[in-house]
Amino acid sequence: MAPKAKEETLESVEARFAQSSNSFHEKCMDLNTPQSAVAAAANQLLTLRCKLLGMYGVAPDPKWTAAGSAGAPAQGGVGSEVQWKSKLNETAAKKAARPLTKGEFVYNTTAVDETNKSFTSTVSGSLLSKEYSSVEPQISKKLAEQTAARAALQAEYPEAYTELAAHEVAPAPAKGEKRKSDPLPMGDKNELSHMMQMLLARSLTKDDVLYTVVTIEGETPSYSATVSLPSHEASPTFEGAAAPSRKDAEAAAARVAIAALKDAAAPLIEEHKAKK
């Protein structure tokens, strides 16, 4: 009989979750990382999060399934991109109660200028009440057509559009292009990782930002954390205030480090933003 697999402890899963979180952040911040790799890291992180929540006694979310797992819907996993042209065809065919024929939707895509780096598109057809166009120039003909199809689906079939838009993940930028978007708010640990990435002028490794957490015994246990930055000048270590959870303790240590590094990192972060 094969030996029974050893069950993971809460501490080991928390450690794996923290490491996976840092890895996911690094991949997101590195615009050279393929979209598929970012999606895989996101699913790994969410899978660990579900496991951790289960160990905390929290029931899993029945609406989420890891992308690529058995029985997972194609649009439900992290990293899926809505193919608006296909969805427009499928929805129109369903409403018309017949298969579509070739040419029922006609796309007219043109370059915005002579550089052939920006495109707009329109879509028209007998099943549409009017012609629809992409909202703004896109970096490829494919994206321009997808945007036009999205506008048509939103106006003609709002219920189908609302359901699909809830699962949308923005497509990867074309090769050589950087995605432009409003910055998402960062947690303290992610903000520190971003600072270190700017200070070191490279993507981080798992050994660049190291957290150590100790338990403070008492009637109600608390936690204290330090964060070490061995790759930074003088290899500093920062200690945060005691906190009621390991996560909060690590965040407290990160805030102390952020306060110490912000003057050095601020001009580098502004320079990085200006280049986008």
Side-chain angles (χ1 to χ4, degrees):
M1 180 181 294
K4 185 177 180 181
K6 184 178 180 181
E7 293 186 0
E8 285 190 284
T9 64
L10 175 62
E11 289 75 14
S12 66
V13 176
E14 285 179 333
R16 286 177 58 205
F17 179 67
Q19 184 176 358
S20 181
S21 177
N22 288 334
S23 176
F24 174 62
H25 176 257
E26 291 166 15
K27 287 181 171 61
C28 282
M29 298 303 297
D30 185 353
L31 296 179
N32 292 317
T33 302
Q35 186 82 349
S36 58
V38 176
N43 275 286
Q44 181 184 39
L45 178 62
L46 289 176
T47 299
L48 280 172
R49 185 176 185 270
C50 285
K51 183 172 185 176
L52 192 58
L53 287 172
M55 297 178 80
Y56 287 150
V58 179
D61 184 352
K63 295 182 180 180
W64 182 84
T65 308
S69 62
Q75 69 185 34
V78 173
S80 59
E81 297 174 7
V82 176
Q83 299 300 316
W84 295 105
K85 289 179 67 175
S86 297
K87 295 302 180 183
L88 176 60
N89 290 344
E90 292 173 12
T91 306
K94 183 177 180 180
K95 294 293 182 180
R98 64 171 176 82
L100 299 189
T101 59
K102 185 177 181 180
E104 287 204 64
F105 289 132
V106 178
Y107 292 86
N108 183 19
T109 306
T110 57
V112 173
D113 53 39
E114 64 279 2
T115 64
N116 286 326
K117 291 184 177 180
S118 296
F119 302 87
T120 59
S121 183
T122 61
V123 59
S124 59
S126 60
L127 297 178
L128 300 177
S129 60
K130 66 174 188 176
E131 182 179 83
Y132 295 92
S133 62
S134 49
V135 178
E136 58 185 17
Q138 302 295 316
I139 60 176
S140 71
K141 291 181 179 180
K142 178 181 177 181
L143 285 178
E145 292 178 355
Q146 293 285 356
T147 306
R150 173 178 177 160
L153 190 68
Q154 182 177 14
E156 302 280 340
Y157 310 104
E159 291 183 1
Y161 170 83
T162 300
E163 181 180 353
L164 292 167
H167 300 285
E168 183 184 17
V169 173
K175 185 176 181 180
E177 296 286 341
K178 293 183 178 180
R179 187 193 306 279
K180 293 183 179 181
S181 61
D182 295 330
L184 295 174
M186 293 186 185
D188 297 305
K189 292 178 65 176
N190 285 344
E191 183 176 354
L192 176 58
S193 294
H194 182 53
M195 276 189 172
M196 284 299 296
Q197 193 170 14
M198 295 299 99
L199 290 168
L200 297 177
R202 61 171 172 79
S203 297
L204 299 185
T205 69
K206 62 183 180 63
D207 296 320
D208 289 325
V209 181
L210 302 175
Y211 290 89
T212 302
V213 181
V214 296
T215 303
I216 302 174
E217 300 295 342
E219 183 176 345
T220 302
S222 58
Y223 301 87
S224 176
T226 60
V227 58
S228 301
L229 310 174
S231 303
H232 189 50
E233 183 179 355
S235 301
T237 297
F238 303 94
E239 183 176 359
S245 71
R246 300 172 66 90
K247 178 181 177 181
D248 290 340
E250 290 180 345
R255 287 194 294 272
V256 175
I258 289 168
L261 300 175
K262 65 179 181 181
D263 289 341
L268 299 175
I269 293 173
E270 291 303 316
E271 181 182 352
H272 180 70
K273 289 180 180 178
K275 290 179 180 179
K276 290 186 175 181

